[in-house]
Each structure stands twice: as structure tokens, then as C-alpha cells.
Amino acid sequence: MKNTHPQGSAQTLAGRITEWLTFDNMHHQWLLLAACFWVIFMFMVASKFITLTFKDPDAYSAKQEFLFLTAVPDAGKLPGEKHFPEELKPTGKVPSDSRLVQPLVYVERLELIRNVCRDEALKNLSHTAVSKFVLDRIFVCDKHKILFCQTPKVGNTQWKKVLIVLNGAFPSIEEIPENVVHDHEKNGLPRLSSFSDAEIQKRLKTYFKFFIVRDPFERLISAFKDKFVHNPRFEPWYRHEIAPGIIRKYRKNRTETRGIQFEDFVRYLGDPNHRWLDLQFGDHIIHWVTYVELCAPCEIKYSVIGHHETLEDDAPYILKEAGIDHLVSYPTIPPGITVYNKTKVERYFLGISKRDIRRLYARFEGDFKLFGYQKPDFLLN
């Protein structure tokens, strides 16, 4: 009996050890299994988070597109500084195609001017001295560092109103009396010619500069109607002094007693020797001389050239580029008023000799080519 007890105790102890080892092994297995479940659970959570983050494919593509558009570094900015081109500043929505393409139009216009200015064959038609006559056409807004070259019969009255408000002479465009707009003693618009040579050069180099053009022949029609037919501003000298001078020099039928006709006007403008009459007429000729003579686009590096035909797009763009779009708006443009009217042009030139029309085009060819207007073959051939 004494010999069996130690053996039984040993067996019992071995059994307990085996049971404990089995339990410990199962415990580790459960821990390992739990760890696996935890990893799987965390992976599912992370996967769900990733799915939620990129759930909107349109929003993601927009971010991708915007990144691509702004990836080219700006040499004028410090490394790491965030900078977005003005037309591409983030607004929470994808910029429309027109917003992305539109600025290219203005770049192409300036590039065209540079190319035409380099054309030796057109040098006499594209170049002019930056004389007092030119400097008198350029109005100054020092407060916002803007220069505007006046090109009459291209909506200049409205641009003058914009600058008058910016200069602080009147609080809003609506409050500017019509008789004040063109009164340069009252409208608060200094001319560039009123500054010293050094101040002129400083402004020409550093200010935002722009002017507006339209089809050259349509502009001449507008000038003729405004000054010799309707004359809404009651400027009697156009009919009583300038018109008789043109008629005496250029009317073919001396017995005809009608007032000035568009044919007389065309013959005067197309005459290579028109300058002797220009000198007699003085600054009144600004309404029909070329854009080259008014604004010297080959000598002055303008920031933007606007076109009357696309003024609905160009006016907001100019205000934005000048940094004043939050301060003033261009007056409402009546529908259809800026559209090129070929029928009207044909009607006015009807009956005028091809020789006179070709001479007129020869004078204004520089304007047609500098600003991308199509040669009016329907009048010339």
C-alpha cells in the first residue's frame, strides 16, 4: 500500500501539468484568434474610411484637374508659398471651360500686335511717336494705377464714367451728369500729358494700361453719324466749320447743296494729303483718326486690348485684371448694340467708288491688321 501512493501522486501531478499546458495552449490560440479578428476589423474600418473619403468621383477629379492647372511654379513667388492665378482661384466648383480658355484670347491679341509691329512692310501704318497728341488721349487713375487710352466711338463715355468714380469725383456712375463726363475741368480725370517726363515714364512702365477697339470702318460710320448727322451733344462746329471744309475740298459735284455726305467723309479720310485739313480741325479729329495715331500700340506696351464686339466679356475681364471689379461695374450694355453690322456697313458704302474705298482701307490697314479685323473684301473687290 505504501508503494502505490507515490506512483499515484506522480500520475496525478503529470495529469494536472498536461491539463495546464493544454489550457495555456488554448489560451494563446484564443489570443491569436482575437488578434486576427482585431486586425481584420481595423482593416475594414480603414477601408470604409478610404471609401467615404473618395466617394465623390467628380469632386476628386476636380481636385486632380485643379492641381494640374496650378502645378507650374511661379518664379515670382517664394518656394512653398501657395499662389493661384486670379482666374483659377479655388471657389469650391470646377472652373468652366470658358473661364479657362478666355484669357488666351487676350494673350493672342497682344501677341498679334507684337507680330504686326515687327512687320517692316507695315511700319508706316503701325508706328507713331508718343507725342503730346497721344499723351492727351491717355487718362490717369493714380489711386488704382490705371491708364486708359481714349478711342472715341468705341464706348469711351462709359469707361470715363468708371474712372471718374474710381478717382472719387462722384460716388457712383448713375450720379455723374452727362455734361460732366467730357468736361475735363470738372470730371477729375487727369491726362498723362499733364505730368513730367519722368512721371510719364514711371506710369507707362508700372500702371495697368488698356484701350478698346472696334471694326475700323464701322467706327467711322459711327463717328460720321454722331458728329455730322445726329450731333446729340450740340457741337455746332462739326456741321458749321468742319463739314464745309470737307465739302469744299472733296465734293465732286460743286453744284450740290446738300450737307456733308458719307462719300465726302470717306474721300477726305482716304486722301494721302489729309493732314493739312487735320491741322485746321485740331483735336476734333480724334473721332476718326486711326487707333495707331491715338494710342501708339507699338510704342506703349498695353496690358489688355478690349474689343467692342465682345465687350460683354471684355469689360468684366478688364475690371478684374485691373483689380477694381469689387469697386465698380461697367454700365449695362443694351442687347445687340456691340454686334458687328455688316448690312449697315454695306449700306453706307453703297455708291462710293472702289478707288475711294481702297484708299480709305490703305490708311486704316494698320488698324485692321493690328487688332485682327478681317479685310473688307466685300467692299474692295
Side-chain angles (χ1 to χ4, degrees), residues 357-371:
I357 299 175
R358 288 174 188 142
R359 288 176 70 167
L360 181 69
Y361 177 76
R363 179 179 175 188
F364 286 86
E365 184 181 6
D367 282 358
F368 275 94
K369 294 198 171 178
L370 278 164
F371 306 107

Side-chain angles (χ1 to χ4, degrees), residues 177-375:
E178 287 297 322
N179 64 324
V180 169
V181 179
H182 300 288
D183 187 335
H184 299 297
E185 293 182 1
K186 297 179 181 179
N187 64 18
L189 290 180
R191 299 172 189 258
L192 190 55
S193 58
S194 65
F195 296 88
S196 68
D197 288 345
E199 289 296 318
I200 289 171
Q201 291 305 316
K202 174 186 172 184
R203 286 165 174 77
L204 285 174
K205 288 179 181 177
T206 60
Y207 280 21
F208 177 86
K209 302 171 289 294
F210 76 101
F211 67 93
I212 314 296
V213 297
R214 73 188 292 187
D215 178 86
F217 279 5
E218 195 170 38
R219 172 175 169 252
L220 294 180
I221 293 171
S222 178
F224 178 79
K225 287 170 57 182
D226 186 61
K227 299 307 176 188
F228 299 110
V229 180
H230 302 305
N231 200 247
R233 297 198 184 95
F234 307 106
E235 300 163 312
W237 48 87
Y238 286 101
R239 285 181 180 173
H240 299 292
E241 297 175 25
I242 294 177
I246 294 173
I247 291 171
R248 280 193 301 270
K249 173 73 174 173
Y250 296 102
R251 178 157 292 178
K252 289 181 177 180
N253 185 357
R254 300 288 181 178
T255 62
E256 189 176 338
T257 57
R258 289 188 302 169
I260 188 170
Q261 302 297 299
F262 189 63
E263 181 180 9
D264 306 321
F265 189 56
V266 167
R267 200 170 290 121
Y268 151 58
L269 294 177
D271 183 2
N273 300 311
H274 62 83
R275 294 194 183 280
W276 77 272
L277 265 188
D278 290 351
L279 292 172
Q280 295 180 42
F281 298 156
D283 279 359
H284 299 307
I285 64 172
I286 65 172
H287 298 281
W288 51 76
V289 297
T290 66
Y291 300 128
V292 170
E293 294 169 278
L294 290 169
C295 299
C298 287
E299 286 67 37
I300 298 173
K301 188 176 181 181
Y302 285 91
S303 311
V304 176
I305 304 297
H307 280 225
H308 187 257
E309 294 81 2
T310 54
L311 197 57
E312 290 185 357
D313 293 326
D314 293 3
Y317 179 78
I318 289 168
L319 295 176
K320 183 170 171 295
E321 287 297 293
I324 54 174
D325 55 323
H326 62 292
L327 299 174
V328 66
S329 297
Y330 189 83
T332 302
I333 302 170
I337 197 170
T338 64
V339 177
Y340 174 71
N341 190 336
K342 182 181 177 182
T343 303
K344 179 180 70 176
V345 173
E346 287 177 320
R347 186 173 72 250
Y348 266 83
F349 280 92
L350 185 66
I352 299 177
S353 72
K354 298 298 182 185
R355 170 185 172 273
D356 289 336
I357 299 175
R358 288 174 188 142
R359 288 176 70 167
L360 181 69
Y361 177 76
R363 179 179 175 188
F364 286 86
E365 184 181 6
D367 282 358
F368 275 94
K369 294 198 171 178
L370 278 164
F371 306 107
Y373 286 102
Q374 189 172 358
K375 184 179 179 181

Side-chain angles (χ1 to χ4, degrees), residues 83-117:
H83 172 64
F84 299 100
E86 194 66 27
E87 66 271 14
L88 297 177
K89 279 189 176 178
T91 59
K93 59 183 180 181
V94 184
S96 67
D97 289 342
S98 62
R99 287 294 303 280
L100 296 176
V101 173
Q102 190 180 26
L104 183 61
V105 172
Y106 307 104
V107 172
E108 289 175 343
R109 288 176 186 174
L110 296 176
E111 183 63 28
L112 175 62
I113 290 173
R114 284 192 289 271
N115 290 336
V116 175
C117 289

Side-chain angles (χ1 to χ4, degrees), residues 137-150:
R137 310 281 76 78
I138 301 176
F139 295 104
V140 182
C141 176
D142 276 330
K143 186 176 181 181
H144 299 282
K145 297 186 175 182
I146 297 170
L147 299 180
F148 165 62
C149 185
Q150 176 189 22

Side-chain angles (χ1 to χ4, degrees), residues 5-44:
H5 181 68
Q7 185 178 1
S9 297
Q11 289 176 346
T12 301
L13 182 60
R16 288 180 177 177
I17 290 172
T18 302
E19 183 181 343
W20 181 82
L21 288 172
T22 302
F23 175 78
D24 188 59
N25 188 40
M26 290 178 62
H27 178 69
H28 278 81
Q29 288 177 345
W30 278 107
L31 285 175
L32 183 60
L33 187 61
C36 289
F37 275 114
W38 176 253
V39 169
I40 292 170
F41 174 74
M42 291 303 295
F43 178 77
M44 290 173 64

